[in-house]
Amino acid sequence: MAKLVSKTYGEALYEVAMESGAARAGELMEEIRCVNEILRENPQFDELMKHPGVPKQDKIQVVENVFKGRVSDELAGLLEVVVSKERYRDLPAIFAYYTERVKEQQKTGMAYVTTAVELNAGQKKAVEAKLLGTSGYEKMEMHFEVDTSIIGGMIIRINDRVVDSSVRTKLNGLTKQLLQIQLG
């Protein structure tokens, strides 16, 4: 359900932004980044907006007071609608959907690479170049993580596609095969 909500509101915001052009969509993405940062730095605001004892009308008034005139009308309007429909909890997912949609439009991919050991700069560049060559994206945002439990190899995730060439996964597959062998 939350995914449907984030897609619905995120897509609506994306369409409104695209009516003004691709550059506007990028500007709005930067505003969203700033709002996310402000919300992260002020957990009391988050608690207030999620508190069931605060009337909806008061929450809408707080959003207007805090954001009206400081962010674009599109973003302020989204915030008001989200609060009025009692979907404030879905705001991070809505922002994430919108950001993902704009990045797709800009042909920018986001890759999450997990390795057993830290990669050096040359290896990271090689992985990025390989992904750019095979994915169809023009730019790639790379996120590297070290997880020693995968033993070796790497796991790459781009959107909902995962390539898992880790030693851990190969050993698990081999274990399953060996357990299926019947002696006898």
Side-chain angles (χ1 to χ4, degrees):
M1 180 72 165
K3 192 168 188 162
L4 179 63
V5 169
S6 64
K7 182 179 180 190
T8 302
Y9 286 97
E11 189 65 32
L13 183 61
Y14 176 77
E15 288 177 15
V16 167
M18 288 305 289
E19 286 175 5
S20 302
R24 180 69 192 121
E27 292 168 5
L28 197 53
M29 190 170 69
E30 181 59 26
E31 276 188 48
I32 286 172
R33 189 192 63 72
C34 291
V35 168
N36 260 337
E37 192 174 312
I38 289 167
L39 294 176
R40 211 175 9 260
E41 291 172 357
N42 297 290
Q44 302 88 356
F45 182 83
D46 199 47
E47 289 172 19
L48 172 72
M49 299 309 286
K50 290 178 181 175
H51 196 285
V54 178
K56 187 186 333 181
Q57 203 53 42
D58 291 350
K59 292 177 184 179
I60 293 170
Q61 190 62 48
V62 168
V63 167
E64 286 179 5
N65 292 342
V66 171
F67 293 107
K68 202 87 161 181
R70 292 180 177 93
V71 297
S72 65
D73 291 341
E74 298 98 337
L75 189 53
L78 172 79
L79 292 169
E80 288 177 30
V81 168
V82 166
V83 170
S84 70
K85 299 291 185 183
E86 297 182 0
R87 294 293 187 185
Y88 179 81
R89 291 179 189 278
D90 298 315
L91 199 58
I94 293 168
F95 285 167
Y97 179 86
Y98 176 83
T99 301
E100 198 175 289
R101 191 79 165 79
V102 171
K103 286 183 180 185
E104 282 291 322
Q105 181 266 328
Q106 295 173 342
K107 299 223 182 283
T108 300
M110 290 181 53
Y112 297 87
V113 180
T114 305
T115 56
V117 295
E118 184 72 34
L119 299 179
N120 64 38
Q123 291 169 323
K124 288 179 179 180
K125 282 288 183 199
V127 170
E128 182 178 2
K130 183 70 171 176
L131 292 176
L132 283 171
T134 58
S135 67
Y137 290 111
E138 294 173 3
K139 294 179 274 179
M140 191 68 72
E141 282 185 21
M142 302 296 295
H143 302 274
F144 291 94
E145 178 185 347
V146 175
D147 179 359
T148 57
S149 72
I150 71 169
I151 305 169
M154 69 175 57
I155 302 170
I156 300 172
R157 184 175 64 85
I158 300 175
N159 297 331
D160 58 352
R161 293 175 286 173
V162 177
V163 176
D164 187 343
S165 64
S166 67
V167 173
R168 176 183 63 196
T169 299
K170 290 178 182 178
L171 285 174
N172 287 343
L174 187 59
T175 302
K176 285 180 185 176
Q177 286 178 347
L178 288 173
L179 290 173
Q180 290 177 350
I181 295 174
Q182 294 184 4
L183 300 174

